[in-house]
């Protein structure tokens, strides 16, 4: 699949499941805890500075954001999870909206891959493990992208590389930095392969 990254735009920020678009193109969803770097990753993938808004306040986004890439692919930014300062009502809304994307979405058959982000320095949290378990049990294809690897020293980076492959259900595990663009080509080639 050849795509023109210059032809990318925010299609809709959906606050309700009925607003999910019904475009007949492959979808790739991005999942991860608040402040893991989802917006930064989407921006660097699309070679844009601020298409996906980077929030100064972690846990602020409670919409599902759909980005159209050359009208051939939708990148789906799910709300970040695991941010402790959210109110109970906000957490409930996040859960309901994310759950609706996976379980009440008329176009779930268009989902080709979930990109599960894990902070490379922090490692998988309990929330991350819960999400990985869910994806595995639901039989949804996913890749794991370890973000912020530019913040690791050589020893930490080698330890992370040595731990790769621990999630057998993952189609790929990739080290990524939005600062240095490390892993960008690998993420794109993996996504495009899974969308064919």
């Amino acid at each position: 699949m050849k795509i023109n990254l210059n032809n990318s735009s925010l299609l809709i920020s959906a606050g309700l499941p009925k607003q999910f678009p019904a475009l007949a193109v492959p979808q790739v969803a991005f999942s991860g805890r608040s402040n893991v770097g989802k917006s930064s990753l989407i921006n660097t993938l699309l070679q844009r500075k601020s298409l996906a808004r980077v929030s100064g306040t972690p846990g602020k986004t409670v919409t599902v954001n759909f980005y159209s890439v050359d009208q051939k692919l939708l990148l789906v930014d799910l709300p970040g999870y695991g941010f402790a300062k959210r109110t109970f009502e906000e957490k409930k809304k996040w859960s309901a909206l994310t759950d609706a994307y996976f379980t009440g979405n008329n176009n779930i058959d268009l989902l080709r891959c979930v990109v599960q982000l894990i902070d490379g320095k922090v490692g998988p949290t309990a929330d991350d493990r819960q999400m990985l378990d869910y994806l595995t049990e639901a039989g949804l294809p996913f890749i794991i992208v370890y973000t912020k690897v530019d913040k690791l020293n050589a020893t930490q980076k080698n330890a992370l590389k040595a731990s790769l492959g621990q999630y057998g259900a993952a189609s790929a595990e990739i080290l990524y930095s939005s600062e240095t663009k490390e892993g960008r080509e690998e993420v794109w080639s993996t996504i495009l392969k899974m969308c064919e």
Side-chain angles (χ1 to χ4, degrees):
M1 176 194 297
K2 284 192 175 177
I3 50 174
N4 175 11
L5 294 180
N6 293 322
N7 188 20
S8 302
S9 61
L10 174 64
L11 188 64
I12 188 169
S13 291
L16 298 166
K18 66 181 180 186
Q19 295 174 315
F20 295 166
L23 287 180
V25 296
Q27 295 186 12
V28 175
F30 291 77
S31 166
R33 69 180 183 82
S34 295
N35 207 24
V36 74
K38 272 192 290 98
S39 299
S40 297
L41 182 137
I42 289 169
N43 283 330
T44 54
L45 281 179
L46 297 175
Q47 297 177 326
R48 301 287 276 279
K49 279 214 164 78
S50 54
L51 182 61
R53 277 204 208 128
V54 179
S55 175
T57 311
K60 203 79 175 148
T61 309
V62 281
T63 54
V64 177
N65 298 320
F66 291 82
Y67 298 92
S68 172
V69 185
D70 204 21
Q71 298 174 339
K72 295 177 183 172
L73 175 66
L74 285 181
L75 300 186
V76 184
D77 184 8
L78 299 170
Y81 54 75
F83 189 63
K85 289 185 183 172
R86 275 218 187 114
T87 65
F88 176 72
E89 284 306 311
E90 286 173 321
K91 286 180 182 176
K92 218 163 80 173
K93 186 178 179 190
W94 172 84
S95 295
L97 199 54
T98 303
D99 187 60
Y101 177 78
F102 288 114
T103 61
N105 181 355
N106 293 334
N107 296 300
I108 197 65
D109 58 315
L110 295 170
L111 178 64
R112 296 291 177 264
C113 166
V114 176
V115 179
Q116 177 62 40
L117 276 64
I118 293 175
D119 189 314
K121 194 152 189 170
V122 175
T125 64
D127 288 320
D128 292 328
R129 288 192 186 94
Q130 192 176 356
M131 192 66 197
L132 289 165
D133 287 345
Y134 171 76
L135 295 172
T136 303
E137 285 163 24
L140 294 167
F142 67 94
I143 66 172
I144 298 172
V145 173
Y146 294 93
T147 61
K148 306 179 185 180
V149 296
D150 53 285
K151 292 181 167 56
L152 304 179
N153 62 35
T155 306
Q156 292 168 322
K157 201 167 182 179
N158 288 335
L160 180 57
K161 283 179 182 172
S163 75
L164 298 183
Q166 61 182 311
Y167 298 102
S171 298
E173 291 183 51
I174 302 166
L175 273 56
Y176 196 93
S177 166
S178 294
E179 292 294 318
T180 67
K181 314 293 186 287
E182 177 183 348
R184 182 181 177 276
E185 296 308 318
E186 196 181 346
V187 170
W188 259 130
S189 63
T190 305
I191 284 173
L192 295 175
K193 200 184 298 175
M194 293 177 83
C195 287
E196 278 169 2

